[in-house]
mmCIF file of all heavy atoms in Angstrom:
data_model
loop_
_atom_site.group_PDB
_atom_site.id
_atom_site.type_symbol
_atom_site.label_atom_id
_atom_site.label_comp_id
_atom_site.label_asym_id
_atom_site.label_seq_id
_atom_site.Cartn_x
_atom_site.Cartn_y
_atom_site.Cartn_z
ATOM 1 N N GLU Q 79 -164.378 -51.014 188.530
ATOM 2 C CA GLU Q 79 -165.816 -50.778 188.326
ATOM 3 C C GLU Q 79 -166.521 -52.078 187.838
ATOM 4 O O GLU Q 79 -167.618 -52.401 188.307
ATOM 5 C CB GLU Q 79 -166.039 -49.692 187.305
ATOM 6 C CG GLU Q 79 -167.427 -49.119 187.396
ATOM 7 C CD GLU Q 79 -167.625 -47.884 186.508
ATOM 8 O OE1 GLU Q 79 -166.678 -47.067 186.445
ATOM 9 O OE2 GLU Q 79 -168.669 -47.824 185.865
ATOM 10 N N ASN Q 237 -213.652 -62.776 217.815
ATOM 11 C CA ASN Q 237 -213.431 -64.092 218.389
ATOM 12 C C ASN Q 237 -212.617 -64.974 217.451
ATOM 13 O O ASN Q 237 -212.863 -66.188 217.365
ATOM 14 C CB ASN Q 237 -214.745 -64.731 218.763
ATOM 15 C CG ASN Q 237 -214.577 -65.856 219.704
ATOM 16 O OD1 ASN Q 237 -213.810 -65.782 220.658
ATOM 17 N ND2 ASN Q 237 -215.240 -66.952 219.451
ATOM 18 N N ARG Q 448 -194.196 -85.808 208.749
ATOM 19 C CA ARG Q 448 -194.989 -86.817 208.043
ATOM 20 C C ARG Q 448 -194.166 -87.418 206.897
ATOM 21 O O ARG Q 448 -194.216 -88.589 206.611
ATOM 22 C CB ARG Q 448 -196.247 -86.192 207.459
ATOM 23 C CG ARG Q 448 -197.316 -86.122 208.508
ATOM 24 C CD ARG Q 448 -198.519 -85.505 207.884
ATOM 25 N NE ARG Q 448 -199.421 -85.068 208.957
ATOM 26 C CZ ARG Q 448 -200.529 -84.384 208.766
ATOM 27 N NH1 ARG Q 448 -200.877 -84.030 207.553
ATOM 28 N NH2 ARG Q 448 -201.230 -84.046 209.765
#
Side-chain angles (χ1 to χ4, degrees):
E79 199 174 320
N237 197 42
R448 278 181 196 174

